[in-house]
Amino acid sequence: AGAGLRVLGRLGVKPQGGVPGQTGRYALHSGRLHTLPHGPVTLLTTDVLSLAAKLEVAKLLAGLARIDTEPLGRLSTREWLDTRLAREDSRALVAALFRVATYCADHSALSAQAAVAQLQYAIAANVLYVDGGWSTLVDAVALQAREAGARVELSARVEAVVLQGEGAGARVEGVRL
């Protein structure tokens, strides 16, 4: 439901895939499999979280859609987790949700703004597991670019992104290699 899928659609790329399995969701913690919460009932019944963590995660997720992500751009996802959740087991579970929603495990480098927005999208519309992996998207975009007359450069160092205009209305005009 995010911008990436909209951009791919405008480029004529329609990713094939599916949503994560609806049954058999588990978390591996301390060498044991635990039911991975994926809704209010499983959040209350899982043994991967303490009661206090269940309440903390439930409160966060209940208010997630109302979080304004704009002010979060200067925070890393790790910093945001540390300030929003007091319990380590709560942070670990929400960090796992961020990994699924963003495909990024480096929460020290990932912007909280991007992570929270992606989790909002994932909760609203799920995530797409791309058949054949991400390389199928890269290949499809490269094919569309070549068919449109673009020259695709691989492994070239990017010197700058060239913008036309300023601020929120700026558009990417090109890339200087």
Side-chain angles (χ1 to χ4, degrees):
L5 199 57
R6 290 190 301 274
V7 168
L8 289 171
R10 285 196 305 264
L11 293 173
V13 175
K14 294 172 182 58
Q16 300 299 307
V19 298
Q22 300 301 308
T23 59
R25 298 175 184 183
Y26 299 99
L28 180 62
H29 179 64
S30 299
R32 289 187 41 233
L33 287 179
H34 304 266
T35 301
L36 182 63
H38 56 88
V41 172
T42 54
L43 179 59
L44 291 174
T45 59
T46 185
D47 63 349
V48 75
L49 296 172
S50 65
L51 178 58
K54 290 175 187 181
L55 295 173
E56 188 174 48
V57 169
K59 181 179 177 186
L60 176 81
L61 294 178
L64 188 72
R66 294 184 303 278
I67 294 174
D68 177 11
T69 61
E70 191 64 35
L72 304 180
R74 297 187 186 273
L75 284 177
S76 73
T77 302
R78 173 63 45 216
E79 291 167 326
W80 188 83
L81 285 168
D82 289 345
T83 59
R84 289 299 293 253
L85 298 167
R87 304 188 50 80
E88 180 56 37
D89 49 349
S90 299
R91 289 190 299 271
L93 179 72
V94 176
L97 296 176
F98 280 141
R99 282 191 296 277
V100 171
T102 65
Y103 299 95
C104 180
D106 187 352
H107 293 146
S108 295
L110 179 63
S111 152
Q113 182 180 24
V116 173
Q118 281 303 116
L119 188 55
Q120 289 170 332
Y121 286 132
I123 288 176
N126 221 317
V127 295
L128 180 69
Y129 281 12
V130 180
D131 291 345
W134 283 98
S135 64
T136 61
L137 296 180
V138 173
D139 293 343
V141 169
L143 177 64
Q144 291 293 335
R146 285 186 186 102
E147 288 179 355
R151 188 179 86 216
V152 177
E153 290 286 338
L154 303 177
S155 301
R157 182 182 170 159
V158 173
E159 193 174 291
V161 175
V162 181
L163 299 177
Q164 179 182 10
E166 293 183 26
R171 293 180 37 144
V172 174
E173 187 175 90
V175 178
R176 186 177 308 123
L177 305 177

